[in-house]
Amino acid sequence: MSTSRRAEHYHHGDLRHALLEAAMAMLEAEGAAGLGLRELARVVGVSPAAPYRHFDSKGRLLEALAITGYQRFSTAMWAAERQSAPARRIGAMGQAYVRFALDNPNLFRLMFSPELKRDGRPSLRLAADAAFDTLKAVTAALPEGEKRVAALRAWAQVHGLAVLLLDGQIALRPGEDVDALVAAVIGAG
Amino acid sequence: MSTSRRAEHYHHGDLRHALLEAAMAMLEAEGAAGLGLRELARVVGVSPAAPYRHFDSKGRLLEALAITGYQRFSTAMWAAERQSAPARRIGAMGQAYVRFALDNPNLFRLMFSPELKRDGRPSLRLAADAAFDTLKAVTAALPEGEKRVAALRAWAQVHGLAVLLLDGQIALRPGEDVDALVAAVIGAG
DNA sequence: ACCTGAACACCGTTCAAGT
DNA sequence: ACCTGAACACCGTTCAAGT
């Protein structure tokens, strides 16, 4: 009885999944720099070497987390697109973008971290490209020649707002909420 | 004769300055994560403990580098402001902003790194505030009620462009240069 | 006052060995 | 096939001791 717990999970069952789950929690709690592979192994209850059966390196683990992040981001953006009337679409998607960043600060930072794409993994690029494709819905109604610049402008505005808010560079005024600020800034763009 | 080199620099003369100089070079070469305090000490030729006479921690060293970064940024922005006609001012300062980011990628990233302001050091905040005050020159001509939103819009656009370009998320088209892209994006803002 | 040497408590990663 | 134990080469940081 006393050995069954360990024995039944010696081949952990789903160590890869358990690692990802715990790592995502640690990422959000402490940031990518504070996510230690040894500490992660400790939390999950395996030896320091065990994670290497499932991830070649810490970078690959972070990459997997970032891909999950891009998928969640895509879901949030498509939901905002679907649930809004065409006239409100730009605002709704911009607000969804900023809200995702503020709700998942360390995951969002990881998704844009330069350490990630060192060796340009294709699965990461694919997930990121799919995520940013959601933004193109915003410029669908514009004439062809203006699409690129309009899309970049909208993206830069909303991404800039997100990271400046995230880093505490923009202070919200008393009574001001994020949605109102986003609406004011991108509304006249 | 053989001992004079070491002896005359035992009290290093200006170890603090030498550390900052070498650290700035390492930062630009490898990023803040790749900047090791022990490696830094090795490069400068002192013991691993020596830097602690001048900086309480690695965080404080990075903070000093970031302050230098904000000062350089301010200089670049004021230069752009001074050298441009009023009508071209927004474009010139936006281009200076993005160019600073692309010319000093790891310094720029450090300036906006969340690890820095953990315990809200006042000298860092002062340097950052002074740097962003340069942006207010852009909205000086606008009516009072529109200043804040217009300033935030301009800042978000230009900062978003900078970080997206830095991370390789925006691909420049063949023959397209950064200044032209910045002009196109913020021109109609 | 400023720096060294040695130590402490960590890392990420590798690899032979166990089950 | 999957995991452990022990090791390697590092970290940041501290502190008694040297000059």
Side-chain angles (χ1 to χ4, degrees):
Chain A
M1 226 190 235
S2 66
T3 60
S4 68
R5 174 84 84 93
R6 188 67 168 215
E8 81 187 36
H9 290 299
Y10 185 92
H11 292 180
H12 185 286
D14 202 355
L15 180 55
R16 184 189 163 88
H17 184 253
L19 288 168
L20 285 172
E21 197 118 319
M24 187 61 91
M26 285 172 63
L27 172 68
E28 276 304 12
E30 323 231 30
L35 200 175
L37 232 49
R38 298 183 87 110
E39 191 190 351
L40 174 62
R42 232 174 281 133
V43 165
V44 173
V46 292
S47 84
Y52 287 88
R53 287 292 122 194
H54 301 278
F55 301 96
D56 287 352
S57 65
K58 183 180 172 181
R60 285 278 198 274
L61 207 215
L62 291 176
E63 191 183 294
L65 294 178
I67 289 172
T68 300
Y70 279 120
Q71 290 163 347
R72 289 183 190 173
F73 179 82
S74 297
T75 303
M77 291 298 284
W78 284 129
E81 198 255 345
R82 241 191 355 262
Q83 290 164 12
S84 58
R88 281 224 356 97
R89 201 150 279 167
I90 293 182
M93 293 185 77
Q95 282 159 4
Y97 195 111
V98 175
R99 217 179 342 238
F100 182 89
L102 298 183
D103 287 349
N104 310 275
N106 287 324
L107 180 56
F108 186 83
R109 286 195 184 103
L110 174 64
M111 288 159 58
F112 291 93
S113 159
E115 276 102 304
L116 273 188
K117 41 208 149 237
R118 275 286 147 73
D119 44 1
R121 296 289 294 164
S123 55
L124 181 67
R125 258 265 75 88
L126 282 172
D129 289 347
F132 299 133
D133 276 350
T134 63
L135 298 172
K136 291 181 184 162
V138 160
T139 58
L142 292 175
E144 200 53 49
E146 302 171 20
K147 274 188 184 174
R148 179 171 139 90
V149 166
L152 287 180
R153 176 152 53 221
W155 191 12
Q157 274 180 345
V158 102
H159 190 76
L161 271 181
V163 305
L164 290 173
L165 284 166
L166 220 54
D167 290 346
Q169 304 282 11
I170 295 177
L172 288 176
R173 290 181 167 178
E176 184 180 45
D177 72 342
V178 171
D179 286 352
L181 184 66
V182 173
V185 167
I186 72 177
Chain B
M1 226 189 237
S2 66
T3 61
S4 69
R5 175 84 83 91
R6 189 67 168 213
E8 81 188 40
H9 290 301
Y10 185 91
H11 292 181
H12 185 286
D14 202 355
L15 179 54
R16 186 191 161 86
H17 184 254
L19 288 169
L20 284 172
E21 197 118 319
M24 187 62 90
M26 285 172 63
L27 172 68
E28 276 305 11
E30 323 231 28
L35 199 175
L37 233 48
R38 297 184 86 110
E39 191 190 351
L40 174 62
R42 231 173 281 134
V43 165
V44 173
V46 292
S47 85
Y52 286 87
R53 287 294 123 193
H54 300 278
F55 301 97
D56 287 351
S57 65
K58 183 180 172 180
R60 285 277 197 275
L61 208 214
L62 292 176
E63 191 182 294
L65 295 178
I67 288 173
T68 300
Y70 280 119
Q71 291 164 346
R72 290 184 190 172
F73 178 81
S74 296
T75 303
M77 291 298 284
W78 285 128
E81 199 254 346
R82 243 190 354 262
Q83 290 165 12
S84 57
R88 283 224 355 97
R89 200 151 279 166
I90 293 181
M93 293 185 78
Q95 282 160 2
Y97 195 112
V98 175
R99 218 180 340 238
F100 184 89
L102 298 183
D103 287 348
N104 310 275
N106 286 325
L107 180 56
F108 186 82
R109 286 194 184 103
L110 174 65
M111 288 159 58
F112 291 92
S113 159
E115 276 103 304
L116 271 189
K117 43 208 146 241
R118 275 286 147 73
D119 45 1
R121 297 289 293 164
S123 56
L124 181 67
R125 258 264 74 88
L126 282 171
D129 289 347
F132 298 135
D133 276 350
T134 64
L135 297 173
K136 291 181 182 162
V138 160
T139 59
L142 291 175
E144 200 52 49
E146 300 172 21
K147 274 188 187 175
R148 178 172 138 89
V149 166
L152 287 180
R153 177 153 51 222
W155 191 12
Q157 274 179 344
V158 102
H159 190 76
L161 271 182
V163 305
L164 290 173
L165 285 165
L166 220 52
D167 290 345
Q169 303 282 11
I170 295 177
L172 287 176
R173 290 182 167 177
E176 184 178 46
D177 72 342
V178 171
D179 286 351
L181 184 65
V182 173
V185 167
I186 73 176

